[in-house]
Amino acid sequence: MREKILLGASDLFLNYGFKSVTMDDIANSLGISKKTIYQHFDNKTKLVEATSMYLFELISEGINQICALEKNPIEEIYSIKQFIMEHLKDEKSSPQYQLQKYYPNIFSTLKDKQFKVMQTCVIDNLNRGIEQELYRKSINVDFISRIYFSLMLAIKDKALFPSRQFSMKMLMSNYLEYHLRGICTPKGLETLNKFITSNQT
C-alpha cells in the first residue's frame, strides 16, 4: 500500500504541484481513505519528503542505466534529458520551484543528493567526451560539472524563467545546446549538429 500511495502521490504532485494537492485529493484519486494514508505517513510533509526521495531514486537508477550503456557522450546527455522529462511530466507543475518555496528543508536535502549523482554522471561524460575528442582537452572538468549543475537548477527558477514565456522543453533543449557548444571540439560540433538536425526532422 505504501508503494501505491507513493506512486499516486507522485503523479498528482508532478501534475498539479506539491502545494495545491491535498491529502483528500490523493485519497480520492487512489480510492482509499485518508486514514489509510496516515497509517503510512504522519502528515503531508512526510509524504512530500517520501515522494521526493522516491522520485529521486527512480530517476537516479534510470540515469545510471543510461550511463552504463556508454553511448556517445553527446547522445547520452540528450538521452538523460529525455528520460528525466518523461518521468517529471515535462515539469508542468514546477516541482523543484515548489519544493524550494514551500518545503525548503526537503529541497536542500534533495539538492545535495542530486549534486552527488549529477557530479558522478557529468564528470564521467566530460572525461569520455575528452577521450573521444568530442570535448576540448583544455576544459576544467570539475568547474564545468559544477556550472552544469548550477545552471540546471537556475533554468527551473520560475522567477527567472516564467513558464508563460519559457516551456521546460524549450529551456532544457536550449541549455543543453548552450552547454555543449561551449565545450565541443570541431569534431564534437559536427556530431552535435548532426544529432540536432536528425532529431528535428
Side-chain angles (χ1 to χ4, degrees), residues 7 19 30 32 37 51 94 117 137 149 151 155 197-198:
L7 269 170
K19 174 70 173 167
L30 293 171
I32 59 175
I37 297 177
T51 305
S94 315
V117 169
K137 280 195 173 99
F149 180 75
L151 293 181
I155 63 170
T197 304
S198 68

Side-chain angles (χ1 to χ4, degrees), residues 92 94 158 161-167:
K92 291 189 194 82
S94 315
K158 293 300 164 191
F161 299 100
S163 47
R164 66 182 177 277
Q165 282 179 260
F166 305 95
S167 72

Side-chain angles (χ1 to χ4, degrees), residues 2-4 20-21 25-26 31-32 36 50 55 63 73 81 84 107 110 122-123 129 155 161 166 199:
R2 182 183 166 85
E3 184 85 5
K4 182 182 175 183
S20 55
V21 174
D25 293 331
I26 296 163
I32 59 175
T36 304
L55 284 167
I63 290 173
K81 179 208 84 165
I84 291 172
F107 172 78
L110 188 63
V122 174
I123 285 173
I155 63 170
F161 299 100
F166 305 95
N199 280 273

Side-chain angles (χ1 to χ4, degrees), residues 110-127:
L110 188 63
K111 182 177 153 189
D112 289 343
K113 286 176 173 286
Q114 286 173 334
F115 177 69
K116 284 170 188 162
V117 169
M118 287 273 286
Q119 272 291 86
T120 304
C121 177
V122 174
I123 285 173
D124 177 67
N125 180 280
L126 291 169
N127 284 327

Side-chain angles (χ1 to χ4, degrees), residues 25-98:
D25 293 331
I26 296 163
N28 293 336
S29 169
L30 293 171
I32 59 175
S33 69
K34 213 160 45 164
K35 185 181 172 186
T36 304
I37 297 177
Y38 284 121
Q39 284 171 353
H40 296 274
F41 305 97
D42 293 342
N43 50 50
K44 185 182 171 185
T45 301
K46 291 287 184 189
L47 180 56
V48 167
E49 182 178 30
T51 305
S52 301
M53 296 309 153
Y54 170 78
L55 284 167
F56 168 76
E57 295 295 341
L58 186 75
I59 289 168
S60 296
E61 181 56 34
I63 290 173
N64 288 338
Q65 286 176 11
I66 292 168
C67 291
L69 298 172
E70 294 200 344
K71 294 181 176 186
N72 167 308
I74 291 171
E75 188 184 339
E76 180 181 88
I77 283 183
Y78 281 97
S79 294
I80 290 171
K81 179 208 84 165
Q82 188 62 34
F83 173 79
I84 291 172
M85 295 295 281
E86 283 168 10
H87 279 77
L88 293 182
K89 316 276 185 191
D90 286 348
E91 307 208 31
K92 291 189 194 82
S93 69
S94 315
Q96 178 186 286
Y97 180 71
Q98 290 209 357

Side-chain angles (χ1 to χ4, degrees), residues 72 74 133-135 180-181 184-198:
N72 167 308
I74 291 171
E133 299 180 346
L134 296 170
Y135 304 155
L180 288 166
R181 289 196 183 281
C184 276
T185 60
K187 178 184 171 183
L189 288 173
E190 193 179 327
T191 304
L192 175 62
N193 290 333
K194 279 181 187 170
F195 184 83
I196 291 171
T197 304
S198 68

Side-chain angles (χ1 to χ4, degrees), residues 95-108:
Q96 178 186 286
Y97 180 71
Q98 290 209 357
L99 263 189
Q100 189 171 6
K101 189 171 181 182
Y102 301 111
Y103 300 95
N105 291 338
I106 298 171
F107 172 78
S108 181

